[in-house]
Amino acid sequence: MNIIFLINRDIASNYALNLILPHLKQTKVHLVYSSQVGRTDVRPANRPAALAQLQFFEQTLPFELLLPKYQVNYCTDFPRLNRRVNQSLSIASVHYIDQINSESALTIIKAIEPDLMVSIRFGAILKSPVIRLSRLGVINLHSGVLPDYRGVMATFRAMLNGEKEIGTTLHYIQNHQIDCGDIIQIDKIPVEKNRSYLWHVLKLYESGVLLILDAIATFSKNISVENHLQPKEGKYFSYPSLQNIIDFERRGGVLVDPDSYIDWLMKNYC
C-alpha cells in the first residue's frame, strides 16, 4: 500500500508514528507534517501560560533541546528525518505542509497517489479536494471519545469533567467538519488520578495506534473496514480557558509532570 501519514510536530504524534512504523516495512510511507494543532490565531500573548508551558514540553524540549544531544530512535529529530528517506523504514518522502488545501499541497499529494491517508493530530482541516485524492479515504485517530469530546485537547476535557475513562476514536474524515466522520472503533483506558494530562495522552496512543494497524491490515486485504454513522449529538471543544485550567488544577489535575515526563523521554527515545 501507498500511505500518507498526516502528522503534527509534537511528541504525541511522533510517539504514535514510532509505534506504527515497525509494522509497515512492506508499505510505502509518506509523511506530511504540520506545525501545530488547532486555531492559528491563538497567540502566546493571549493564551494561558500553562498552555505555552505544555507546548514547550510537547515540542520545544524534545525536538530542539533534549533529544538532539542523544543517540535517538528514528523519527525524533525532524530535520534528520529527511536524510533517512528510502532507508530501512521505507519512508518514501517527507513534506512540511501547513496549507494542506493549497494548490501546491494538492499537487504533492496527487503525485503520491495515496491508497490511504492516516491523520494523527494533524494541524489543519482537510477539505473535499484533498480527501478525494485518497483511494480508500482518510482516517483520523482522535484523542477523545466521539461524539462526546470533539475538538482540541479532548483528553483534558474528559479529565476536567471527571470521567473515569478516556479514549481514542478512529474515524473517517469525510468532509471539512471536525471529528464528525463515521466511527471505525473506540479504545478506552482508565484515568489514573496521580498522573498528568500529558501522561494520559501519550498512554492513549500505545493502544490507540493498534486501531490504525488493524484498519491498515484490513484495507491491505481489499476488505472494507467496518464503521458506523456517528451520532450528531456531542460537543466541540477549543483550547481551554484560564478558568478551565484553574478548575482542573483545583481538582488535583496537572498538565505536565516534568520529572516523570523527562524520565519517559529518556526511556523511550534515548
Side-chain angles (χ1 to χ4, degrees):
M1 292 181 69
N2 200 18
I3 301 178
I4 293 177
F5 282 89
L6 303 170
I7 307 292
N8 190 49
R9 192 181 184 277
D10 66 15
I11 192 63
S13 295
N14 183 259
Y15 183 48
L17 188 64
N18 277 331
L19 294 174
I20 290 171
L21 285 180
H23 302 278
L24 300 181
K25 293 181 179 179
Q26 304 303 316
T27 302
K28 185 178 289 187
V29 173
H30 304 262
L31 305 179
V32 173
Y33 284 99
S34 63
S35 60
Q36 67 179 35
V37 170
R39 293 170 13 210
T40 58
D41 61 337
V42 179
R43 305 296 184 187
N46 60 12
R47 65 176 174 174
L51 294 185
Q53 182 187 50
L54 179 63
Q55 183 181 26
F56 170 81
F57 284 106
E58 288 182 315
Q59 298 181 331
T60 306
L61 177 63
F63 302 119
E64 296 179 21
L65 300 179
L66 181 59
L67 298 181
K69 297 181 182 298
Y70 296 89
Q71 181 67 36
V72 297
N73 293 339
Y74 52 80
C75 300
T76 55
D77 185 349
F78 288 86
R80 293 181 185 175
L81 185 56
N82 288 285
R83 296 196 290 271
R84 295 172 184 244
V85 172
N86 293 324
Q87 294 184 9
S88 60
L89 295 176
S90 298
I91 298 175
S93 64
V94 181
H95 308 275
Y96 295 84
I97 303 174
D98 283 322
Q99 302 298 322
I100 191 65
N101 300 293
S102 66
E103 288 299 324
S104 60
L106 289 172
T107 299
I108 291 170
I109 294 172
K110 187 175 181 179
I112 293 173
E113 298 182 336
D115 295 303
L116 179 68
M117 288 199 285
V118 179
S119 172
I120 306 175
R121 300 170 66 86
F122 191 66
I125 298 172
L126 275 63
K127 297 182 179 179
S128 295
V130 177
I131 296 170
R132 288 196 295 263
L133 292 177
S134 179
R135 181 175 66 86
L136 296 170
V138 183
I139 59 176
N140 175 60
L141 186 62
H142 173 66
S143 58
V145 176
L146 297 177
D148 297 334
Y149 292 98
R150 299 185 177 114
V152 180
M153 292 183 66
T155 301
F156 171 87
R157 296 293 179 172
M159 294 174 68
L160 177 62
N161 288 343
E163 300 284 2
K164 294 182 179 180
E165 290 184 319
I166 54 175
T168 52
T169 303
L170 185 65
H171 67 98
Y172 277 100
I173 295 178
Q174 293 155 307
N175 52 47
H176 66 280
Q177 293 182 315
I178 300 173
D179 300 330
C180 290
D182 293 352
I183 293 175
I184 299 171
Q185 198 170 351
I186 296 175
D187 180 81
K188 295 181 180 180
I189 64 171
V191 172
E192 298 190 23
K193 292 184 179 180
N194 295 325
R195 298 287 191 174
S196 70
Y197 155 77
L198 184 54
W199 182 92
H200 282 91
V201 171
L202 296 170
K203 192 68 176 178
L204 277 174
Y205 286 107
E206 292 179 4
S207 57
V209 297
L210 298 178
L211 306 183
I212 293 176
L213 292 172
D214 286 346
I216 291 174
T218 301
F219 281 127
S220 66
K221 298 174 184 177
N222 294 317
I223 301 174
S224 297
V225 172
E226 293 185 8
N227 60 88
H228 63 272
L229 188 67
Q230 184 178 162
K232 292 183 179 180
E233 60 267 16
K235 189 172 182 180
Y236 174 83
F237 295 95
S238 186
Y239 282 102
S241 66
L242 177 58
Q243 187 60 52
N244 292 147
I245 293 171
I246 291 173
D247 291 342
F248 184 70
E249 293 175 344
R250 282 176 177 171
R251 297 174 189 180
V254 176
L255 286 181
V256 185
D257 178 350
D259 290 338
S260 65
Y261 175 61
I262 292 174
D263 288 344
W264 180 90
L265 282 175
M266 301 298 288
K267 177 181 177 180
N268 287 279
Y269 282 89
C270 302

